[in-house]
Amino acid sequence: MRRTFEPRPSQEAFDWADRWPLPQGTEQIPLAEAAGRVLAQDLAAPVDIPREPRSARDGYALRAAETLGAGDYNPLPLRLSPAALPLERGRAAWVADGDPLPPGADAVLTMEQGEARGGVLEVGAALACGDGVVGAGEECAAGGPLLRAGRRLRPQDLARLALAGMTEVPVRRRPRARIILAGHFDADADGPLLAALVRRDGGQVTEVLAVSDETALIGVLQQPHADLILVAGGTGHGPQDAAVGALERCGSLHLDGVAIHPGGGIVLGQSASRPVILLPGAPLACLCAYDLVAARALRRMSGRPGHLPYRRRVLTLGRKIASSIGRLEVARLKITGDTAQPIATADGRTLATAVQADGFLLIPEQSEGYPPGSRVEPYLYDDYD
Amino acid sequence: MRRTFEPRPSQEAFDWADRWPLPQGTEQIPLAEAAGRVLAQDLAAPVDIPREPRSARDGYALRAAETLGAGDYNPLPLRLSPAALPLERGRAAWVADGDPLPPGADAVLTMEQGEARGGVLEVGAALACGDGVVGAGEECAAGGPLLRAGRRLRPQDLARLALAGMTEVPVRRRPRARIILAGHFDADADGPLLAALVRRDGGQVTEVLAVSDETALIGVLQQPHADLILVAGGTGHGPQDAAVGALERCGSLHLDGVAIHPGGGIVLGQSASRPVILLPGAPLACLCAYDLVAARALRRMSGRPGHLPYRRRVLTLGRKIASSIGRLEVARLKITGDTAQPIATADGRTLATAVQADGFLLIPEQSEGYPPGSRVEPYLYDDYD
């Protein structure tokens, strides 16, 4: 009942996590729901955006050539006309920011640059053609690239597509994660934990199943309709621990144990060409192993940067922090002002430490820790969005 | 048709944005959906967590006192029994990580510290009481605080509540944002833009309405069932611009114009004790004004840190970047390796600049910009989770 256990350097786990592609499959979704999704194909502008020249300010549309020589001490008069009509020579028309220019106009005077009185505008500045104007096609010319395939859509990208008249957009399918609870204890805790983490990282949870028997596990590891499989628990060395055996029988093991702590019991492999990650069942170890390895894989599969989702901050260590050479340590910290204090725990076994902590420091494999007063840059648990 | 226009320092807008409280109102939601929500009340543990001592490792449960003197060169034998039974003196039992300890056991030997052969365990290390054990109540004692009201729930918090047997959780209502499109152009673009931004910042969009007439605007500004109202467009100085007048007639104006660029036409006020933010209709200005001011208000109202949601990175400026004294400039940048290049634009009027940009630098009001080679720390558009 005992496997050879030789934890592998964390970099091997990270390299493995980085190699999984975005899932195949495209769906057409409403533009308003597409933020954060990955564009499935190149999109081109069907028409010039904007279609016609627009004013870029509230002001007076006019012919730039007719402002030649105008200045504070040499105001030139233009008669005001309605903007709806083509602009005759010697005239100007009030336009609001975003209004199409009246035909004939080629520049827009700001309100500060002119004074309107009784139907006459006194022009107090000389303009160049195009001043205060967004030209036809200036946002994007007809046929030009709107956005490229593979782009993770930003809010402003949705606005760009809306300007092009689009109301739906083709995006890559979100990676689907199957969550399997194979442990005998704390499975109730790992379910909501992993579901929240998967959603944070851009995945969709297809199901959360409690399965601990080896034959049943082989079944759910082989089922289609998932791009990533997370198994929590059942990875230990006891007679009831069936997850590793199940994975070996229906797929392959890549790494059995990684030099991280907590969470070193993580096992990486694949089944039906999909990544399978076996996580420790103890919630703290499950969280740490997920964050370091599974989050990295899933975030890349959803088109995000693969790094940890937490923001970092440079702080001073208030007390010494020790770590064992040979493993990457997730050291939980309390932060007060600019000082970080390690949370004292015998062996970092309670989830409470990750609840009380404001963040964590990653202590590299080759380090024994840091003396008090060290400048460190921990990750902040509350600052991940 | 012209208002006095004296843009106010950006800090005044930030102070205004920081003063709105979380919305009143609580809802009970499933634990699995509660990540990122704000806990509405203090929660206490109904029972000890864990209820009984648990093993913190795969190994052998035993009495620590019976290992006294054991070592590599002095292995002490204990007979193995099933873990389901109370542990008799002189015995040990295999337990998996997370298993309850058999009654009588008080420590757990790792597999490396002992060797089992033919029903006998050779104990190779002396343990102290509690080694390898999570004690009853060690995660949280019965009656002790599980989590405090006001906490923005993390994935590990959900696991903690699940360990306490909870399946639902009382959370503060999400701030509801009403989006009103009051402009005459580009309203189609501002709708998806603002909806995506509101969702990013933890709000829920109750409706997106196109309303530009002053009387109708007064109606929707006064309607209940919103905690924040965003109006895009209709804020200029033209005869069709009804948003400012409507707000003055049914509420109050706090700031009319802020020294930021793009987006300086933003107007801040309130109606029915709720914040009302009038944003410029041009999509680029709308985006910048939202990000600098509205995001700050909404993120605080949803229990998040108020700072900009984008991560920052220290880079070297490849070309000089100029800014006008007296306004906070949102300077869009392209990033190549460790170098940031300002995007050349006449006056930063096209949304395309925020689509092409990898990020933006905020240039303070008192700065005229930076020479080439300056170390700057821009915000990254693609790195907001």
Side-chain angles (χ1 to χ4, degrees), chain B residues 262-326:
Chain B
I266 187 173
V267 178
L268 307 175
Q270 65 181 81
S271 167
S273 305
R274 302 170 301 204
V276 177
I277 303 179
L278 311 184
L279 298 159
L284 175 66
C286 186
L287 167 68
C288 295
Y290 175 93
D291 265 352
L292 290 186
V293 183
R296 185 166 176 132
L298 183 56
R299 291 173 75 83
R300 286 187 181 277
M301 291 171 77
S302 67
R304 294 170 196 228
H307 56 61
L308 279 165
Y310 311 107
R311 253 182 234 232
R312 304 178 74 171
R313 198 175 139 204
V314 176
L315 295 165
T316 302
L317 208 53
R319 277 203 313 277
K320 143 188 140 147
I321 189 164
S323 177
S324 300
I325 294 262

Side-chain angles (χ1 to χ4, degrees), chain A:
Chain A
M1 77 207 204
R2 203 160 149 184
R3 307 196 299 276
T4 350
F5 186 69
E6 178 67 41
R8 303 299 308 163
S10 57
Q11 190 58 49
E12 290 186 24
F14 301 155
D15 291 343
W16 179 89
D18 289 346
R19 78 178 196 205
W20 299 97
L22 270 71
Q24 292 301 315
T26 297
E27 53 191 0
Q28 190 81 6
I29 63 169
L31 193 63
E33 295 165 17
R37 300 295 297 273
V38 176
L39 191 62
Q41 60 188 65
D42 289 346
L43 296 177
V47 292
D48 275 347
I49 307 171
R51 282 178 194 248
E52 66 287 302
R54 299 277 191 91
S55 177
R57 42 175 78 147
D58 288 340
Y60 302 94
L62 42 68
R63 285 180 170 76
E66 295 181 351
T67 66
L68 191 69
D72 281 346
Y73 299 102
N74 183 33
L76 296 182
L78 292 175
R79 285 180 55 208
L80 283 165
S81 319
L85 303 176
L87 197 71
E88 291 172 30
R89 302 209 167 265
R91 292 188 176 247
W94 164 265
V95 286
D97 190 356
D99 280 354
L101 287 201
D106 57 20
V108 179
L109 194 76
T110 67
M111 290 185 305
E112 291 71 27
Q113 293 169 327
E115 185 142 7
R117 249 190 314 238
V120 172
L121 173 71
E122 297 287 344
V123 177
L127 296 191
C129 178
D131 281 354
V133 174
V134 175
E138 192 172 326
E139 285 283 0
C140 191
L146 276 176
L147 292 170
R148 300 284 185 197
R151 169 106 169 177
R152 188 172 169 231
L153 294 168
R154 308 170 182 171
Q156 58 261 50
D157 295 343
L158 306 190
R160 182 171 172 86
L161 298 180
L163 288 177
M166 302 184 68
T167 54
E168 291 195 324
V169 60
V171 295
R172 296 290 284 266
R173 198 161 41 64
R174 235 187 253 282
R176 299 161 304 181
R178 175 172 301 142
I179 296 173
I180 302 170
L181 308 173
H184 300 275
F185 292 95
D186 296 339
D188 290 351
D190 292 336
L193 173 70
L194 289 174
L197 291 167
V198 163
R199 289 190 194 109
R200 176 193 76 184
D201 294 328
Q204 57 181 321
V205 178
T206 55
E207 63 240 299
V208 180
L209 303 165
V211 178
S212 55
D213 160 81
E214 185 171 309
T215 309
L217 272 171
I218 290 173
V220 293
L221 288 177
Q222 290 179 313
Q223 266 171 33
H225 310 309
D227 304 299
L228 169 75
I229 299 178
L230 299 174
V231 181
T235 60
H237 301 80
Q240 294 176 303
D241 288 311
V244 177
L247 178 56
E248 280 182 312
R249 288 181 56 178
C250 69
S252 63
L253 234 64
H254 178 67
L255 288 182
D256 183 3
V258 177
I260 59 176
H261 181 260
I266 186 172
V267 177
L268 308 176
Q270 66 181 77
S271 167
S273 305
R274 301 168 303 201
V276 177
I277 303 179
L278 311 185
L279 298 159
L284 175 67
C286 186
L287 168 68
C288 295
Y290 176 93
D291 266 353
L292 289 186
V293 182
R296 185 167 176 131
L298 183 56
R299 291 173 75 82
R300 287 188 180 274
M301 290 171 77
S302 68
R304 295 171 195 227
H307 57 60
L308 278 165
Y310 312 107
R311 253 182 235 235
R312 305 177 73 169
R313 199 174 139 207
V314 175
L315 296 165
T316 302
L317 208 52
R319 277 203 314 276
K320 135 186 149 153
I321 190 164
S323 178
S324 301
I325 294 261
R327 69 187 190 188
L328 179 67
E329 182 75 32
V330 181
R332 279 88 64 215
L333 304 166
K334 286 292 289 178
I335 298 171
T336 314
D338 288 325
T339 303
Q341 303 283 4
I343 291 182
T345 51
D347 57 352
R349 58 204 176 185
T350 65
L351 179 66
T353 58
V355 171
Q356 290 151 8
D358 298 304
F360 61 90
L361 185 61
L362 285 186
I363 306 176
E365 272 132 316
Q366 66 277 19
S367 167
E368 288 189 275
Y370 307 102
S374 301
R375 298 292 278 170
V376 292
E377 194 172 5
Y379 295 86
L380 307 180
Y381 271 131
D382 279 332
D383 203 351
Y384 63 84
D385 177 11

